[in-house]
Amino acid sequence: MTTRMEPSGVKYEFVEAVERLDYYAPRGYHPVTIGDELCAGRYVIAHKLGFGRSATTWLAEDRRAKSELPGKVIVQNLLDSFKLSGPNGIHRCLVTDAARINIHEAKDAAYH
């Protein structure tokens, strides 16, 4: 399912330690703000978790699915995927359970 979002009227300003604004361009990042609803309102953006050169990670509430699968707390599952169409192109969105550590902790653990 592709969700069509209208261009945002938000004007971004440079903030230290935040992704580069020139990445918000055609074939670059899709502009997302807290409170945005994705995939026909199923996912509501709650918080930005991190970013890299080719992706931004957001925490979102899933308004529909609740899971009580055994082992859920230790296995990272792909719960959903969808395409999002916006002013900078079409973006593949992957939905997983929230991780228990941040990306910097994961990188440090992998190094050791």
Side-chain angles (χ1 to χ4, degrees):
M1 172 183 297
T2 301
T3 303
R4 176 76 177 133
M5 295 180 66
E6 296 301 317
S8 171
V10 175
K11 300 295 182 197
Y12 294 98
E13 295 180 18
F14 178 77
V15 177
E16 190 67 39
V18 175
E19 70 274 13
R20 293 174 37 184
L21 296 181
D22 58 332
Y23 290 171
Y24 287 91
R27 303 179 67 89
Y29 287 147
H30 178 80
V32 174
T33 58
I34 293 173
D36 282 356
E37 296 181 359
L38 306 178
C39 200
R42 178 174 178 174
Y43 304 107
V44 180
I45 301 298
H47 185 70
K48 181 190 264 181
L49 298 176
F51 65 94
R53 173 58 187 102
S54 62
T56 304
T57 302
W58 294 90
L59 179 65
E61 175 189 3
D62 183 347
R63 290 182 168 168
R64 298 179 198 163
K66 304 294 180 214
S67 175
E68 298 302 325
L69 294 174
K72 179 182 175 196
V73 296
I74 57 172
V75 177
Q76 192 74 15
N77 293 308
L78 179 63
L79 303 174
D80 194 7
S81 69
F82 58 94
K83 291 182 180 177
L84 183 65
S85 178
N88 298 329
I90 297 174
H91 303 268
R92 167 71 65 191
C93 299
L94 304 177
V95 180
T96 65
D97 289 319
R100 294 192 171 251
I101 62 174
N102 68 40
I103 193 70
H104 298 294
E105 292 170 333
K107 285 181 182 178
D108 287 344
Y111 176 75
H112 300 295

